[in-house]
């Protein structure tokens, strides 16, 4: 298999047919290059989609009030449905099953914050104690808002790291008071959040926001976890919530404008299924391109065998066994395929690294990359395919009779 003389002959054959060998190798390299780039791009799309969802809990339902658009129960369309604290309690009692829930009343969310001589404009978001779980934020210092803050209407806040860095500089913010347009809030914690823009905010108790900003008992949004419920379970929960509010406010349960119930689980599954479909399509395209390259290798080896018929006849006439003929043809096929495969893998990886390092991360396409194990296995399969591509021409060469071969013109 590793006979030095055989390899000298193979290299001599390659040198004698440089253009043909190059075009054959290029078709194989192009196939693996396209496969790697397509797989990396597919991963970039998936990373972008996961980034969109990582800022919030995937297993969650959002409920927003709206305006009726259908006539129902003697009422004309156009009625405003305003969520309240009572709706929160009703949903928690009937539907939450002990899962995490939060609610928010924001009024005007963007406000001017100041501490000593420093000031800046940041988002002020009111919430409840479970909000850190549903928002996927992590407290890095102090604590998050608790039930006593809600029941006591406490003027406390949890601030994002950018707020801390902008207003408190190197000073520890915990225990200090942050001025929010004339209202002092005691800083009780600092958090970090992977979601875009979610760090540039502070959280205050929803009960405090309702009092401070004339919210009465109104809520802008109610947000709840669906626990371990799958698509069917979460959809049933969303339907029950809509029916519950429809019964209370006397609107058509099919009127989606009256109350918007957004099921994050279904959206996540839908997008992931779409991306899985794209991944399968990418594999089909990539493998199809590889097969075209392998067929090209097989055809070229068939031509090479035809051109070397007389040479093969001489070899067999002087006693060369058929296995040596098969080995020589297979080694040439494997060499071309392996070198071309690794070249395609190298340039495909380089292109992905350039895109990863120089392309600004977007909301829907981030960090294109390919699994190293997938790339290596792709090349291994390619080399095996190259061996199979050379097998049939090699077997044909081994069956050539010396007398017939020597008479070949």
């Amino acid at each position: 298999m590793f006979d030095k003389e055989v390899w000298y002959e193979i290299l001599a054959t390659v040198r004698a047919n440089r253009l043909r060998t190059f075009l054959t190798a290029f078709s194989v390299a192009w196939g693996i290059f396209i496969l790697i780039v397509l797989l990396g791009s597919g991963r970039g799309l998936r990373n972008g989609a996961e980034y969109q969802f990582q800022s919030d809990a995937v297993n969650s339902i959002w409920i927003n009030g709206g305006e009726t658009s259908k006539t129902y129960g003697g009422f004309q369309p156009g009625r405003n449905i305003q969520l309240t604290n009572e709706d929160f309690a009703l949903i928690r009692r009937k539907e939450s099953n002990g899962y995490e829930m939060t609610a928010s009343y924001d009024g005007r969310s963007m406000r001017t914050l100041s501490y000593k001589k420093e000031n800046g404009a940041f988002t002020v978001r009111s919430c409840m104690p479970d909000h850190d779980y549903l928002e996927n934020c992590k407290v890095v210092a102090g604590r998050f808002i608790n039930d006593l803050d809600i029941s006591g209407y406490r003027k406390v806040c949890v601030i994002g790291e950018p707020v801390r860095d902008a207003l408190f500089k190197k000073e520890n913010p915990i225990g200090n008071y942050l001025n929010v347009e004339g209202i002092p809030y005691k800083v009780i914690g600092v958090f970090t959040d992977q979601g875009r823009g979610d760090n540039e905010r502070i959280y205050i108790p929803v009960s405090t926001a309702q009092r401070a900003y004339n919210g009465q008992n109104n809520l802008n949004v109610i947000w709840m976890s669906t626990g371990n419920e799958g698509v069917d379970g979460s959809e049933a929960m969303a339907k029950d919530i809509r029916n519950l509010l429809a019964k209370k406010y006397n609107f058509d349960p099919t009127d989606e404008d009256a109350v918007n119930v957004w099921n994050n689980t279904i959206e996540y599954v839908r997008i992931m299924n779409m991306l899985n479909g794209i991944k399968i399509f990418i594999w089909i395209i990539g493998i199809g391109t590889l097969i075209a390259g392998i067929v090209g290798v097989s055809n070229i080896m068939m031509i090479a065998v035809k051109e070397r018929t007389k040479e093969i006849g001489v070899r067999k006439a002087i006693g060369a066994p058929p296995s040596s003929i098969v080995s020589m043809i297979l080694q040439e096929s494997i060499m071309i395929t392996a070198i071309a495969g690794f070249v395609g893998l190298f340039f495909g990886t380089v292109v992905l690294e350039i895109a990863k390092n120089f392309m600004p991360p977007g909301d829907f396409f981030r960090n294109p990359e390919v699994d190293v194990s997938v790339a290596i296995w792709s090349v291994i399969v390619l080399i095996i395919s190259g061996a199979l591509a050379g097998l049939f021409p090699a077997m044909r060469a081994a069956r050539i009779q010396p007398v017939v071969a020597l008479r070949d013109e």
Side-chain angles (χ1 to χ4, degrees), residues 62-372:
W62 295 64
I63 307 120
N64 300 87
E67 186 177 280
T68 61
S69 60
K70 297 181 180 180
T71 301
Y72 185 79
F75 292 94
Q76 295 298 314
R79 288 185 297 126
N80 182 57
I81 305 299
Q82 173 63 60
L83 299 178
T84 65
N85 293 340
E86 288 73 22
D87 297 325
F88 179 88
L90 178 65
I91 295 172
R92 165 162 277 181
R93 186 169 60 252
K94 298 286 187 178
E95 300 296 335
S96 73
N97 296 320
Y99 298 144
E100 294 82 0
M101 281 189 68
T102 186
S104 179
Y105 171 77
D106 292 330
R108 180 169 57 85
S109 60
M110 185 64 71
R111 297 181 182 275
T112 301
L113 282 55
S114 62
Y115 176 73
K116 295 182 178 177
K117 296 182 179 180
E118 304 294 337
N119 60 76
F122 295 96
T123 300
V124 177
R125 176 67 55 83
S126 64
C127 65
M128 290 187 173
D130 290 341
H131 195 85
D132 58 337
Y133 170 82
L134 289 162
E135 187 66 46
N136 272 348
C137 67
K138 179 182 179 182
V139 176
V140 295
R143 65 172 178 85
F144 201 72
I145 291 166
N146 60 29
D147 290 327
L148 291 177
D149 298 326
I150 300 294
S151 60
Y153 304 93
R154 292 175 176 173
K155 294 178 181 177
V156 295
C157 67
V158 184
I159 65 175
E161 289 182 317
V163 181
R164 176 199 62 189
D165 297 339
L167 301 182
F168 292 91
K169 305 302 180 184
K170 296 182 180 181
E171 186 177 348
N172 183 9
I174 306 298
N176 288 313
Y177 284 84
L178 186 64
N179 189 299
V180 181
E181 296 185 351
I183 301 177
Y185 288 88
K186 184 179 180 179
V187 179
I188 59 172
V190 179
F191 73 89
T192 183
D193 195 315
Q194 295 182 1
R196 186 187 67 171
D198 289 350
N199 271 321
E200 289 79 19
R201 62 173 60 162
I202 73 169
Y203 292 119
I204 64 175
V206 66
S207 57
T208 306
Q210 288 173 329
R211 278 194 173 185
Y213 306 117
N214 195 30
Q216 301 175 24
N217 69 336
N218 294 335
L219 296 173
N220 295 117
V221 61
I222 297 173
W223 190 7
M224 64 179 294
S225 166
T226 58
N228 295 322
E229 299 287 348
V231 172
D232 294 338
S234 63
E235 184 63 13
M237 290 177 65
K239 184 177 180 180
D240 290 342
I241 291 170
R242 182 181 295 281
N243 290 336
L244 190 66
L245 295 175
K247 182 178 180 180
K248 176 182 177 181
Y249 290 104
N250 200 24
F251 64 81
D252 188 339
T254 64
D255 187 355
E256 296 185 359
D257 292 330
V259 171
N260 177 33
V261 182
W262 176 269
N263 191 340
N264 220 21
T265 303
I266 289 180
E267 292 304 311
Y268 179 79
V269 171
R270 182 180 65 82
I271 291 177
M272 290 301 112
N273 287 340
M274 179 187 70
L275 290 174
N276 288 336
I278 291 175
K279 185 176 181 180
I280 293 173
F281 178 74
I282 286 172
W283 272 106
I284 292 173
I285 297 298
I287 291 174
T289 308
L290 281 179
I291 290 175
I294 296 301
V295 170
V297 173
S298 180
N299 290 335
I300 290 300
M301 298 311 299
M302 291 287 287
I303 294 172
V305 168
K306 180 65 176 174
E307 290 178 346
R308 298 168 65 184
T309 299
K310 185 170 290 188
E311 173 194 334
I312 293 171
V314 172
R315 286 175 176 275
K316 297 191 73 175
I318 61 178
S323 59
S324 67
I325 305 298
V326 172
S327 175
M328 181 178 64
I329 302 299
L330 282 180
Q331 287 180 73
E332 181 176 347
S333 175
I334 292 172
M335 182 193 73
I336 294 173
T337 308
I339 293 176
F342 280 109
V343 168
L345 174 62
F346 172 76
F347 282 104
T349 304
V350 168
V351 168
L352 290 179
E353 284 299 315
I354 291 174
K356 183 177 180 179
N357 293 325
F358 294 98
M359 180 184 295
D363 292 341
F364 301 99
F365 189 84
R366 301 176 66 87
N367 299 329
E369 56 190 0
V370 66
D371 191 323
V372 175

Side-chain angles (χ1 to χ4, degrees), residues 15-64:
R15 283 195 296 268
N17 301 276
R18 289 186 179 90
L19 180 59
R20 186 177 69 193
T21 303
F22 170 78
L23 293 176
T24 304
F26 179 80
S27 65
V28 175
W30 181 253
I32 196 71
F33 172 83
I34 290 297
L35 178 62
I36 295 300
V37 171
L38 286 176
L39 288 176
S41 300
R43 186 64 210 179
L45 288 173
R46 194 176 192 89
N47 289 340
E50 290 175 350
Y51 175 77
Q52 289 292 308
F53 281 96
Q54 74 180 2
S55 61
D56 302 321
V58 171
N59 56 330
S60 60
I61 293 175
W62 295 64
I63 307 120
N64 300 87

